[in-house]
């Protein structure tokens, strides 16, 4: 036999042809790295006062606010589809909003009633509650305002109490979205002192001052309250990447179990860096403006809805996200059940 055969060329065309493995559905499936499953999804749900209501959110077509009596049914369906957790967001009636947001501390407020109802009717579903004052303040800011500035340390005390109230109502996980300095430590201490040491903390660690939150603020009614105000004195500057790693490091040191990056698609570099650096359970929030953009383009017939939904979610997984908060959760879980 001839011994003059050269070793196969490695890594060079024409010996190497990456298209070989892309040719067939079976071979693409076999080598696919990132996977998406309903178990990776958290469904953010809006709730409203009243009975027998499902109020559409105009800037988020397909998204509704559920009154508490309708919530469990929708959440049970999500659970059946394999979604492990929901994140609840209350639309507080304007008459209950005050400068100090004290409705946040009412154990019978909308979100607490919703948590109790869910835990009664769908006890297996993970329930995540946001901590921040914006659903409750007449100025729409996430904290207390003194002389036009959102004050940090005074706000921490209230956030700790808000977390305890929600955890006592039965939520499994507290997700602080306010971006005050030191809030993770303050909330962890408040929870532990109240005997709630088993309650998880999912920190919105790297949360940017983003224009992509617009439709959410319609949904919870904080846009009108906020008016021309913005959140740039506490949410992160979209120009910064390294600072996200500092935010995460601080939150981990203060006791965050899990961390989140928000928004999603414009911040995939941050998701990647956070996962690489810390290796912690890392979540990403595909926010309201991302949802609205994709839905609007799909409604025009400019994008294939099913494909962009699944691709956007898969991209988060590839970047390193363990879990994704998305308004597409139920829809995506249905697609995944049907098989791509
Ligand atoms: C409130 C909060 C916001 C979102 C989640 N929690 C809005 C904000 O910070 O103004 C945004 C979610 C979304 O846009 O889908 N602290």
């Amino acid at each position: 036999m001839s011994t003059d055969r050269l070793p196969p060329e490695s890594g060079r065309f024409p010996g190497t042809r990456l298209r070989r493995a892309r040719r067939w559905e079976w071979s693409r499936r076999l080598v696919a790295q990132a996977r998406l499953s309903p178990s990776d999804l958290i469904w953010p749900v809006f709730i409203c006062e009243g009975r027998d209501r499902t109020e559409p959110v105009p800037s988020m077509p397909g998204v509704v606010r559920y009154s508490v009596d309708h919530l469990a049914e929708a959440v049970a369906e999500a659970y059946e589809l394999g979604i492990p957790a929901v994140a609840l967001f209350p639309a507080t009636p304007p008459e209950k909003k005050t400068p100090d947001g004290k409705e946040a501390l009412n154990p019978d407020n909308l979100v607490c009633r919703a948590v109790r109802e869910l835990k009664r009717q769908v006890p297996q579903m993970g329930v995540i509650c946001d901590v921040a004052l914006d659903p409750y303040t007449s100025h729409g800011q996430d904290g207390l305002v003194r002389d036009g500035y959102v004050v940090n340390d005074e706000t921490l005390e209230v956030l700790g109490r808000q977390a305890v109230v929600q955890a006592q109502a039965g939520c499994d996980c507290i997700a602080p979205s306010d971006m005050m300095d030191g809030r993770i430590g303050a909330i962890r201490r408040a929870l532990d002192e109240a005997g709630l040491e088993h309650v998880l903390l999912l920190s919105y660690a790297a949360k940017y001052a983003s224009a992509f939150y617009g439709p959410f603020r319609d949904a919870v009614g904080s846009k009108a309250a906020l008016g021309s105000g913005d959140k740039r004195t506490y949410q992160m500057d979209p120009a910064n990447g390294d600072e996200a790693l500092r935010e995460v490091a601080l939150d981990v040191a203060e006791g965050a179990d899990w961390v989140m990056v928000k928004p999603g698609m414009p911040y995939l570099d941050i998701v990647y860096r956070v996962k690489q650096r810390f290796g912690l359970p890392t979540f990403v929030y595909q926010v309201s403006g991302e949802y609205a953009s994709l839905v609007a383009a799909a409604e025009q017939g400019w994008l294939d809805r099913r494909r962009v939904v699944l691709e956007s979610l898969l991209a988060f997984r590839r970047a390193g996200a363990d879990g994704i908060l998305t308004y597409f959760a139920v829809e995506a879980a249905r697609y995944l059940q049907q098989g791509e």
Side-chain angles (χ1 to χ4, degrees):
M1 286 303 295
S2 79
T3 53
D4 59 354
R5 229 191 243 171
L6 293 169
E9 281 183 80
S10 60
R12 291 234 180 132
F13 178 82
T16 295
R17 292 178 184 266
L18 295 181
R19 288 184 55 191
R20 274 185 211 120
R22 292 182 200 141
R23 183 160 182 185
W24 310 108
E25 194 274 336
W26 70 263
S27 55
R28 289 193 294 269
R29 192 147 50 88
L30 201 57
V31 297
Q33 281 191 285
R35 307 260 180 204
L36 181 66
S37 120
S39 301
D40 305 321
L41 305 176
I42 296 172
W43 185 32
V45 185
F46 298 113
I47 43 182
C48 63
E49 291 286 0
R51 312 198 100 254
D52 196 19
R53 292 173 87 158
T54 48
E55 299 174 352
V57 178
S59 52
M60 300 179 74
V63 170
V64 299
R65 303 181 194 96
Y66 296 94
S67 56
V68 173
D69 54 334
H70 277 307
L71 179 66
E73 193 186 319
V75 170
E77 192 199 342
Y79 189 80
E80 289 304 309
L81 284 164
I83 295 168
V86 289
L88 300 181
F89 294 99
T92 308
E95 63 275 13
K96 290 197 175 153
K97 297 189 184 192
T98 53
D100 62 1
K102 67 172 189 301
E103 178 67 5
L105 307 180
N106 173 4
D108 276 319
N109 68 18
L110 179 56
V111 78
C112 291
R113 278 181 278 127
V115 170
R116 282 196 293 269
E117 188 62 14
L118 273 187
K119 280 293 156 188
R120 204 168 61 78
Q121 296 207 42
V122 202
Q124 326 85 300
M125 183 62 114
V127 177
I128 301 170
C129 282
D130 216 65
V131 160
L133 298 182
D134 58 321
Y136 308 101
T137 52
S138 43
H139 44 69
Q141 296 289 356
D142 291 16
L144 302 174
V145 178
R146 305 270 178 250
D147 301 324
Y149 185 70
V150 175
V151 288
N152 197 86
D153 299 16
E154 240 182 293
T155 298
L156 293 185
E157 201 264 322
V158 188
L159 297 176
R161 288 165 61 198
Q162 179 186 20
V164 168
V165 165
Q166 294 180 151
Q168 282 171 340
C171 80
D172 305 290
C173 177
I174 291 288
S177 71
D178 55 282
M179 288 302 278
M180 298 300 115
D181 284 323
R183 82 242 211 248
I184 297 300
I187 292 169
R188 185 73 271 165
R189 274 191 298 281
L191 289 171
D192 290 358
E193 277 165 21
L196 297 160
E197 64 285 338
H198 54 278
V199 173
L200 285 156
L201 272 184
L202 164 56
S203 175
Y204 285 74
K207 177 172 178 180
Y208 286 85
S210 173
F212 284 93
Y213 306 150
F216 173 96
R217 293 178 189 167
D218 289 332
V220 300
S222 65
K223 186 180 255 164
L226 195 60
S228 61
D230 64 54
K231 302 189 177 182
R232 282 183 253 209
T233 70
Y234 47 104
Q235 296 178 348
M236 285 182 61
D237 185 336
N240 297 345
D242 295 343
E243 191 184 341
L245 302 181
R246 290 186 78 188
E247 283 284 2
V248 171
L250 286 165
D251 286 1
V252 173
E254 289 174 30
D257 297 288
W258 300 337
V259 295
M260 192 201 302
V261 173
K262 180 183 173 191
M265 213 140 78
Y267 296 85
L268 283 180
D269 58 324
I270 309 300
V271 175
Y272 179 80
R273 291 176 71 184
V274 167
K275 185 62 186 182
Q276 291 282 313
R277 173 77 70 94
F278 299 95
L280 288 166
T282 302
F283 292 78
V284 63
Y285 200 142
Q286 183 179 49
V287 300
S288 57
E290 297 176 70
Y291 173 88
S293 317
L294 296 180
V295 167
E299 284 186 350
Q300 295 290 322
W302 295 338
L303 290 174
D304 177 328
R305 177 162 177 150
R306 177 190 173 107
R307 291 187 59 195
V308 291
V309 167
L310 291 172
E311 182 181 332
S312 64
L313 299 175
L314 185 66
F316 292 130
R317 296 279 294 147
R318 191 197 59 239
D322 297 285
I324 305 154
L325 290 93
T326 175
Y327 302 98
F328 291 119
V330 170
E331 177 177 341
R334 277 203 198 101
Y335 296 149
L336 294 167
Q337 269 205 344
Q338 293 157 8
E340 288 184 58

